[in-house]
Amino acid sequence: MTYTAAPLDLLLLPTWLVPVEPAGVVLKEHGLGIRDGCIAFIGPRDAALKLAAREVRELPGMLLSPGLVNAHGHAAMTLFRGLADDLPLMTWLEKHIWPAEAKWVDEAFVRDGTNLAIAEQIKGGITCFSDMYFYPKVASDCVHNSGMRAQIALPILDFPIPGASSADEAIRQGIELFGDLKHHPRIKITFGPHAPYTVCDANLEKIRVIAEELDAVIHMHVHETAFEVQQAVEQTGERPLARLARLGLLGPRFQAVHMTQISEDDLALLVESNTSVIHCPESNLKLASGFCPVERLWQAGVNVAIGTDGAASNNDLDLLGETRTAAMLAKAVAGSATALDAHRALRMATLNGARAMGLDSQIGSLEVGKAADIVAFDLSGLAQQPIYDPVSQLIYATGRDCVKHLWVAGKPLLDDRQLTRMDEQQLTATAIAWGQRISGHSE
């Protein structure tokens, strides 16, 4: 009796397929088959065409890659996009963003802002994102309904925040949401102590114990500016990263966001603990926060992922553009034109992000058995010609408007540039209405 495999749900036939793992590989004239939301086949086009498939999509001139992973952001802050530009971080936060949040942020704000962010990210080739913002249950509902994948970090600060009157209440809500969603196929709940300067030792120790018990990730802004590090040293004699190490927070489940200030001791702590660093170059550039030494970290063996940060400080959620900036900046900071080449930059925006989130067994590369989180970039346009290395062309000569199709767990969320599950006109109208309310009522 001959065994016949069940037919594929979908067979994709692009011009180029970039699996990311193994590193540096570009497969030409190959096919990728999807069954039950997972990648079931990768092989030469001739072999692919012999397989039974319910649907076959020819993708001429397109590059198929793993979906991009946006490893740090504040989704609902899309509604504050451009509200307080061209200001240093602490002025931006204390004089503008925190007062605006106190006045405007409620469940409706988070729902509408998160939906806007999800749609923008899907259209930009992002299949998974990390979110750290208020009313995380509302954001989780948005992710669930959208079909996207996300890590939701529960924000915890020593003072009251929208939706939680204390750090203890925020932690309690986090434990509850973690329990509710621990079996969700696309949502991972994590703990998000805001920053070393807004969370005391006692609360950090509570978070560490709970995260260990639940095997949960911790996501935190660390060493965002030189001022933050300098102030900590003046007040306590200890650098913030060293404090986190002393409290036992660093490790493979810890995501240190920004890390623009890295001494030799800091680097040793990151390497020893196997902590991931999340690099947000454009937000750091715009707020003049400093430069994360990406090449130095990479060469030392630190896992570096990439994030857009929130749209209030970037001002977009364009991870492809962010990756291009990261590649350029890494060269300038390292003083070497060979630093962070295009293939490694793409890896940083895909598999490294998945690894930071503990999702690298599921997503981040195109491998048989992994979830079919895939993006098709159209490289057939005038501005991409001629093509010698399609990955270089993707990173250095392509914008997010070239994102043509996107699938999460094999389901199409973007088809020929059109959102399949969200109403773009409605999202735009809602965002405009919020902008009018916020600008019309601001003092």
Side-chain angles (χ1 to χ4, degrees):
M1 185 176 117
T2 53
Y3 170 74
T4 311
L8 298 168
D9 298 324
L10 177 61
L11 176 62
L12 302 174
L13 297 166
T15 299
W16 302 277
L17 192 149
V18 181
V20 172
E21 183 62 47
V25 169
V26 177
L27 302 172
K28 199 151 190 236
E29 301 300 340
H30 273 56
L32 181 146
I34 299 168
R35 187 189 298 119
D36 298 330
C38 293
I39 298 169
F41 170 86
I42 296 174
R45 181 185 169 92
D46 293 350
L49 287 168
K50 290 175 183 154
L51 300 173
R54 293 189 180 93
E55 185 187 353
V56 178
R57 292 289 291 268
E58 290 281 359
L59 303 172
M62 291 190 212
L63 180 153
L64 220 55
S65 103
L68 304 180
V69 177
N70 184 358
H72 178 67
H74 310 282
M77 291 184 87
T78 47
L79 295 181
F80 289 143
R81 192 193 317 260
L83 180 69
D85 282 338
D86 307 317
L87 296 166
L89 175 67
M90 295 319 290
T91 308
W92 176 81
L93 266 179
E94 292 171 357
K95 298 277 176 20
H96 298 271
I97 296 302
W98 284 347
E101 287 178 334
K103 184 168 185 177
W104 295 107
V105 175
D106 58 12
E107 293 195 8
F109 178 98
V110 170
R111 183 191 64 239
D112 293 344
T114 302
N115 281 331
L116 179 65
I118 287 171
E120 179 182 351
Q121 291 182 97
I122 290 170
K123 292 198 77 177
I126 296 165
T127 53
C128 178
F129 70 101
S130 178
D131 185 35
M132 182 194 208
Y133 208 60
F134 312 121
Y135 298 104
K137 186 181 183 315
V138 176
S140 300
D141 290 342
C142 294
V143 173
H144 173 78
N145 294 333
S146 72
M148 218 178 168
R149 197 179 300 278
Q151 166 185 282
I152 307 285
L154 287 301
I156 300 158
L157 295 90
D158 285 347
F159 41 86
I161 58 172
S165 60
S166 65
D168 281 342
E169 190 183 341
I171 292 168
R172 228 179 7 258
Q173 288 175 4
I175 294 167
E176 194 178 318
L177 194 57
F178 185 95
D180 289 347
L181 295 174
K182 70 178 173 194
H183 299 302
H184 196 287
R186 292 179 286 101
I187 300 174
K188 184 168 182 173
I189 299 299
T190 63
F191 292 86
H194 170 258
Y197 57 89
T198 51
V199 188
C200 66
D201 282 10
N203 283 330
L204 286 174
E205 287 182 316
K206 277 183 205 168
I207 292 162
R208 175 184 59 77
V209 170
I210 291 159
E212 280 175 1
E213 283 173 5
L214 299 176
D215 193 24
V217 166
I218 298 174
H219 184 89
M220 187 178 193
H221 302 99
V222 187
H223 289 205
E224 187 167 1
T225 62
F227 173 73
E228 173 198 329
V229 178
Q230 179 193 335
Q231 193 176 44
V233 170
E234 284 170 6
Q235 290 172 357
T236 67
E238 193 174 33
R239 288 170 74 84
L241 194 74
R243 174 180 160 225
L244 296 175
R246 174 173 57 77
L247 294 171
L249 270 81
L250 301 187
R253 292 196 319 270
F254 189 85
Q255 301 164 8
V257 181
H258 296 303
M259 289 304 299
T260 68
Q261 315 296 315
I262 300 179
S263 67
E264 287 303 320
D265 288 346
D266 295 333
L267 183 61
L269 286 173
L270 293 169
V271 172
E272 284 161 22
S273 62
N274 201 14
T275 291
S276 284
V277 169
I278 316 297
H279 177 38
C280 303
E282 291 183 5
S283 175
N284 293 157
L285 285 165
K286 184 159 177 277
L287 293 167
S289 298
F291 313 117
C292 176
V294 170
E295 187 68 11
R296 195 162 134 234
L297 291 171
W298 193 296
Q299 296 303 337
V302 176
N303 182 54
V304 187
I306 188 160
T308 57
D309 210 348
S313 66
N314 185 313
N315 294 9
D316 56 37
L317 306 180
D318 177 2
L319 200 75
L320 186 61
E322 198 81 32
T323 305
R324 182 183 186 182
T325 300
M328 303 284 200
L329 187 64
K331 297 172 194 314
V333 170
S336 165
T338 62
L340 197 63
D341 61 76
H343 282 266
R344 284 195 289 145
L346 181 60
R347 192 181 186 88
M348 191 163 81
T350 53
L351 191 56
N352 287 11
R355 184 176 160 198
M357 294 182 191
L359 294 173
D360 49 319
S361 64
Q362 296 168 252
I363 63 166
S365 57
L366 301 181
E367 298 180 69
V368 170
K370 282 196 172 185
D373 287 19
I374 302 167
V375 58
F377 296 97
D378 187 353
L379 302 186
S380 66
L382 178 90
Q384 282 75 43
Q385 308 315 313
I387 295 174
Y388 303 111
D389 176 349
V391 175
S392 276
Q393 226 62 341
L394 175 67
I395 299 300
Y396 297 124
T398 302
R400 61 177 167 173
D401 54 335
C402 290
V403 174
K404 195 86 166 175
H405 310 289
L406 180 143
W407 298 264
V408 172
K411 293 193 166 54
L413 302 189
L414 189 74
D415 187 33
D416 200 16
R417 297 284 303 146
Q418 299 302 306
L419 294 165
T420 62
R421 294 172 67 156
M422 304 183 89
D423 183 335
E424 190 168 342
Q425 282 181 302
Q426 182 60 55
L427 290 166
T428 305
T430 301
I432 290 168
W434 271 106
Q436 288 168 342
R437 273 182 70 196
I438 291 168
S439 60
H441 291 79
S442 56
E443 277 80 43

